[in-house]
């Protein structure tokens, strides 16, 4: 696994270097004539969605590389953390992990007030950003502060310019269209008083801390009520990297994918993907080693077995 991940990282770094040399780091390929635009993922740009408790430097570096490298303009939005405004100044601890992995051009952007978030002055750092990072906390705070504001539109524009948006824990869930665990009373309520995310992945609900917190069956409640949604549950220190409708797993944990319309022989309520596996979000099909496979691990909560 380490060799495969090392090879992927080297390949990603080389590709980024070539793109920077050509001045094209922010201009990823758009769908060719006659090719369908992404159904679920962003039409331009990419996503790095982490299940929380991020420690793996390769995931952090994958985000930095997709933003354009160590000198890329990256905006960090720590609003989900719920700290005092004074905690989120220029020396916010939310910058430490990115700095430790080589990022040098970092800006903190934070407000709990949607009126402030709707001003031209507030969104100015986003207009030049090539990457945005959302640390953890409670995802409903991000929804309260930024949905329907200039900030939300400026975030979408980062993707439209070919940039990257990433986040961990709450910063993962906010990227779905349905906001799982968006309740202000408790993070154990799956369908609460906030149900709308930023929707970078359309028709999805994203959960985090999957196996570490024994949450592997929690998204079933959401998918039962909203069978049109694709559920994505991500374990700690694990990420999905999304380009268009291609999603790849990176890290030492697992990603569960819940699809109400797909049951393989043998039953089980979700696909269980590991490092290097990919998933086509438009056709809802997984692959391992570049080849489709039917022998995915699937767990049935009623049997307790494989």
């Amino acid at each position: 696994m380490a060799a495969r991940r090392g090879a992927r990282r080297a390949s990603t770094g080389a590709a980024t270097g070539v793109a920077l040399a050509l001045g094209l780091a922010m201009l990823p390929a758009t769908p060719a004539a006659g090719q369908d635009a992404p159904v679920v993922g962003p039409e331009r740009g990419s996503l790095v969605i982490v299940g929380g408790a991020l420690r793996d430097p390769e995931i952090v570096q994958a985000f930095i590389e997709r933003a354009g490298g160590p000198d890329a303009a990256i905006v960090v939005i720590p609003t989900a953390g719920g700290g005092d405004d004074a905690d989120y100044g220029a020396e916010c601890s939310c910058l430490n992990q990115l700095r430790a992995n080589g990022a040098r051009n970092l800006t903190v952007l934070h407000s709990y007030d949607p009126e402030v978030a709707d001003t031209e002055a507030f969104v100015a750092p986003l207009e030049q950003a090539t990457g945005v990072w959302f640390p953890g906390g409670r995802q409903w705070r991000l929804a309260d502060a930024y949905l329907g504001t200039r900030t939300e539109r400026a975030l979408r524009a980062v993707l439209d310019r070919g940039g990257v948006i990433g986040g961990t824990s709450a910063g993962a869930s906010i990227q779905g269209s349905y906001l799982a665990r968006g309740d202000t009373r408790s993070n154990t309520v799956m369908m609460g008083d906030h149900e709308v995310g930023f929707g970078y992945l359309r028709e999805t609900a994203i959960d985090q801390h999957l196996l570490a917190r024994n949450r592997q069956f929690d998204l079933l409640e959401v998918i039962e009520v909203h069978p049109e949604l694709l559920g994505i549950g991500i374990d700690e220190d694990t990420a999905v990297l999304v380009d268009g409708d291609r999603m790849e797993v990176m890290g030492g944990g697992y990603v569960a994918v819940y699809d109400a319309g797909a049951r393989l022989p043998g039953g089980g309520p979700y696909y269980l993907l590991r490092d290097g596996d990919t998933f086509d979000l438009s056709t809802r099909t997984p692959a391992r080693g570049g080849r489709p496979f039917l022998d995915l691990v699937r767990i049935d909560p009623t049997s307790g077995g494989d």
Side-chain angles (χ1 to χ4, degrees):
M1 181 173 70
R4 181 172 67 249
R5 293 173 62 190
R8 180 171 62 247
R9 177 181 167 187
S11 174
T12 302
T16 301
V18 171
L20 287 171
L22 296 175
L24 296 175
M26 295 308 298
L27 293 173
T30 54
Q35 180 179 340
D36 292 337
V39 173
V40 179
E43 293 188 15
R44 296 176 64 85
S46 56
L47 306 174
V48 177
I49 308 175
V50 186
L54 176 59
R55 300 175 299 278
D56 189 339
E58 291 192 22
I59 295 175
V60 182
Q61 289 158 9
F63 168 78
I64 294 171
E65 288 167 358
R66 284 163 180 257
D71 291 317
I74 295 174
V75 172
V76 178
I77 303 180
T79 305
D84 293 337
D85 288 340
D87 296 336
Y88 298 142
E91 296 306 313
C92 177
S93 62
C94 58
L95 304 177
N96 291 346
Q97 193 169 50
L98 290 168
R99 282 177 174 161
N101 283 275
R104 294 188 283 264
N105 186 4
L106 301 172
T107 302
V108 178
L109 192 67
H110 162 70
S111 178
Y112 295 119
D113 187 344
E115 291 188 5
V116 172
D118 203 32
T119 64
E120 185 175 350
F122 184 81
V123 303
L126 289 171
E127 294 175 350
Q128 303 301 320
T130 58
V132 176
W133 183 258
F134 292 102
R138 296 300 310 280
Q139 47 267 39
W140 59 264
R141 294 189 181 107
L142 294 166
D144 276 354
Y146 303 123
L147 278 177
T149 69
R150 288 190 186 207
T151 297
E152 184 189 9
R153 296 191 292 275
L155 289 166
R156 177 70 66 170
V158 172
L159 289 176
D160 292 342
R161 294 194 299 271
V164 57
I165 291 181
T168 183
S169 191
S173 291
I174 194 65
Q175 297 189 53
S177 57
Y178 182 89
L179 194 62
R181 299 189 197 276
D183 193 80
T184 54
R185 297 161 296 176
S186 170
N187 66 359
T188 65
V189 178
M190 293 301 292
M191 296 181 289
D193 50 26
H194 290 64
E195 295 186 288
V196 179
F198 290 163
Y200 304 140
L201 286 184
R202 294 177 283 273
E203 296 296 314
T204 66
I206 301 172
D207 201 10
Q208 7 80 5
H209 301 282
L210 184 74
L211 300 177
R213 298 188 183 179
N214 200 32
R215 291 176 167 181
Q216 59 267 35
F217 302 124
D218 291 3
L219 271 173
L220 295 175
E221 174 187 353
V222 178
I223 301 306
E224 182 178 359
V225 176
H226 300 284
E228 75 282 2
L229 296 176
L230 186 72
I232 302 172
I234 309 172
D235 202 13
E236 293 184 352
D237 203 29
T238 305
V240 293
L241 312 180
V242 180
D243 295 281
D245 279 334
R246 183 181 188 274
M247 182 174 80
E248 180 177 359
V249 178
M250 184 179 192
Y254 288 86
V255 172
V257 181
Y258 307 76
D259 180 1
R263 294 296 176 92
L264 295 181
Y270 57 80
Y271 299 110
L272 196 59
L273 310 181
R274 66 191 185 197
D275 181 79
D277 290 349
T278 61
F279 193 86
D280 187 318
L281 293 163
S282 62
T283 61
R284 297 191 172 189
T285 54
R288 178 163 292 160
R291 300 176 60 186
F293 59 102
L294 298 177
D295 297 326
L296 289 168
V297 176
R298 298 171 68 84
I299 298 176
D300 186 337
T302 63
S303 70
D306 294 334

